[in-house]
């Protein structure tokens, strides 16, 4: 069903879901939402499965007209959403009628906002995903960012929307986040004093950041020998340090392999905090052991599954 007519796509708006898995050995990046928590929780709010396709809106400036009655939610770090000029709350399931106009503007913080529609966006599945990979020009809507005049369709609604979402499930966004990391896999490639610097200094997000990765500026890290290693697979949140000594965090559209030493990997639950840190703002790193990270992750997964299970039973 045709549901949305794009009047202004803003700076960069693409269709994303939770990613394209199983093809990295063929050189195909995972892609998917930059802030996967905002996408999955937004989908849950409107009654979709967590991995349904939605719109990822960079910064703001997005405006679209509804072509049919719809349930929607706008999520992310402090998005400013307006329906027919009237402010609507974020992180809340809202209703729209045919002809209503939705605007998503930049908030005072954050970069990535998500418009989730009941039924999920209905675009072709490419290699198991509806996510857009811009560099490869496939997925999403013809492998490109949205343009003025695009029309989007949604699938059938599967569940009723939620009346609320526990605050504890939402990322704890902040303008100056502390990002937890697990050191390695090549932390032994750096001088001990550089590891100390990495975990104590403030790093600034630079404009040299996009869906592929985030370049940081701050104290430079020194390698014991060279920055190069034999190329190996790259995980989401891996922090490479090229020869110049500045950390580069690999994100959704990262390459599948890389040949620079990696000082650490961002803890998965803190990735939303990292990607929502705008250029010019600062962050710092704090180490977690693998055991600590696993415990925190499992607690979060249990809380989400418990909440989702109650919703499935119609008890929320």
């Amino acid at each position: 069903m045709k549901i949305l007519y794009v009047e202004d796509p803003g700076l960069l708006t693409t269709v994303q879901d939770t990613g394209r898995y199983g093809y990295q050995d063929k050189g195909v990046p995972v892609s998917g939402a930059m802030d996967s928590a905002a996408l999955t929780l937004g989908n849950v709010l409107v009654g979709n499965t967590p991995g349904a396709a939605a719109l990822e809106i960079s910064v703001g400036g997005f405006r679209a007209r509804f072509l049919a009655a719809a349930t929607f939610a706008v999520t992310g770090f402090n998005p400013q959403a307006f329906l027919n000029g009237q402010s609507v709350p974020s992180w809340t399931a809202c209703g729209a009628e045919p002809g209503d106009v939705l605007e998503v503007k930049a908030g005072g913080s954050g970069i990535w906002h998500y418009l989730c529609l009941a039924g999920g966006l209905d675009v072709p599945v490419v290699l198991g995903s509806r996510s857009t990979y811009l560099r490869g020009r496939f997925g999403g809507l013809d492998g490109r960012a949205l343009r003025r005049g695009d029309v989007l369709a949604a699938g059938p609604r599967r569940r009723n929307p939620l009346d609320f979402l526990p605050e504890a499930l939402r990322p704890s966004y902040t303008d100056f986040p502390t990002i937890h990391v697990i050191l390695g896999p090549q932390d032994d490639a750096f001088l001990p004093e550089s590891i100390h610097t990495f975990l104590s200094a403030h790093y600034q997000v630079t404009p040299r950041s996009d869906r592929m990765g985030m370049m940081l500026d701050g104290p430079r890290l020194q390698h014991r020998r060279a920055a190069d290693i034999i190329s190996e697979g790259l995980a989401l949140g891996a922090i490479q340090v090229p020869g110049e000594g500045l950390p580069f965090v690999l994100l959704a559209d990262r390459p599948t392999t890389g040949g620079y030493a990696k000082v650490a990997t961002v803890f998965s639950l803190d990735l939303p905090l990292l990607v929502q840190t705008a250029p010019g703002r600062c962050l710092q790193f704090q180490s977690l052991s693998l055991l600590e990270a696993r415990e925190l992750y499992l607690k979060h997964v249990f809380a989400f599954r418990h909440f989702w299970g109650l919703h499935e039973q119609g008890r929320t």
Side-chain angles (χ1 to χ4, degrees):
M1 177 178 65
K2 292 181 179 179
I3 198 166
L4 209 62
Y5 175 85
V6 178
E7 295 185 349
D8 189 339
L11 181 65
L12 176 67
T13 299
T14 58
V15 176
Q16 300 293 340
D17 57 19
T18 46
R20 184 172 285 106
Y21 291 90
Y23 299 93
Q24 287 178 277
D25 62 330
K26 310 292 193 303
V28 179
V30 173
S31 300
M34 288 286 280
D35 183 344
S36 60
L39 177 132
T40 57
L41 293 174
N43 275 322
V44 169
L45 274 169
V46 299
N48 295 341
T49 56
L55 290 183
E56 178 178 85
I57 301 164
S58 177
V59 180
F62 176 84
R63 185 177 70 251
R65 177 164 39 88
F66 285 96
L67 302 177
T71 300
F72 70 92
V74 178
T75 61
F77 184 8
N78 195 31
Q80 306 297 308
F82 300 85
L83 190 66
N84 300 326
Q86 300 298 311
S87 177
V88 292
S90 58
W91 294 90
T92 303
C94 304
E97 296 298 326
D100 286 350
V101 175
L102 176 69
E103 294 180 87
V104 180
K105 300 181 179 180
S109 305
I111 301 175
W112 307 100
H113 308 312
Y114 295 85
L115 172 57
C116 299
L117 296 161
L121 291 178
D122 187 9
V123 297
V125 175
V126 179
L127 298 178
S129 171
R130 291 182 166 89
S131 285
T132 309
Y133 176 45
L134 292 171
R135 286 181 172 85
R137 299 182 182 179
F138 61 83
L141 191 65
D142 301 326
R144 59 170 173 80
L146 265 58
R147 300 172 184 159
R148 187 188 309 270
D150 283 338
V151 175
L152 296 168
R157 175 182 291 180
R158 298 181 181 277
R159 301 172 182 83
N160 291 327
L162 296 185
D163 294 327
F164 76 99
L165 182 72
E167 190 75 23
L169 291 180
R170 290 171 50 177
S172 301
Y173 298 117
T174 175
D175 285 329
F176 181 57
T178 295
I179 305 298
H180 292 92
V181 298
I182 296 90
L183 290 175
Q186 287 96 31
D187 53 313
D188 58 350
F190 300 86
L191 296 175
E193 51 267 35
S194 284
I195 299 296
H196 175 76
T197 297
F198 174 71
L199 295 174
S200 59
H202 294 167
Y203 282 92
Q204 186 179 59
V205 178
T206 75
R208 293 175 57 194
S209 303
D210 58 16
R211 283 184 48 84
M212 185 177 78
M214 176 181 285
M215 176 62 75
L216 303 177
D217 191 19
R220 296 174 186 265
L221 307 181
Q222 279 191 280
H223 301 83
R224 289 181 183 271
R225 291 176 291 278
D228 297 334
I229 61 170
I230 296 173
S231 290
E232 62 182 20
L234 296 175
L236 178 61
I239 305 175
Q240 286 187 329
V241 184
E244 65 181 357
L246 292 175
F248 182 76
V249 190
L250 294 153
L251 300 175
D253 284 353
R254 64 196 180 279
T256 57
T257 61
Y260 292 121
K262 295 172 285 296
V263 65
T265 302
V266 175
F267 175 43
S268 58
L269 295 185
D270 281 2
L271 280 165
L273 313 184
L274 175 88
V275 301
Q276 295 285 13
T277 306
R281 296 191 184 274
C282 292
L283 52 81
Q284 61 186 120
F285 296 107
Q286 182 177 325
S287 68
L288 280 178
S289 70
L290 195 57
L291 188 61
E292 290 171 324
R294 183 175 183 272
E295 181 179 356
L296 289 170
Y297 177 76
L298 290 177
K299 284 181 177 178
H300 177 81
V301 169
F302 176 80
F304 177 80
R305 288 181 176 174
H306 177 68
F307 175 73
W308 179 252
L310 292 178
H311 174 49
E312 288 283 86
Q313 297 168 30
R315 292 163 54 188
T316 58

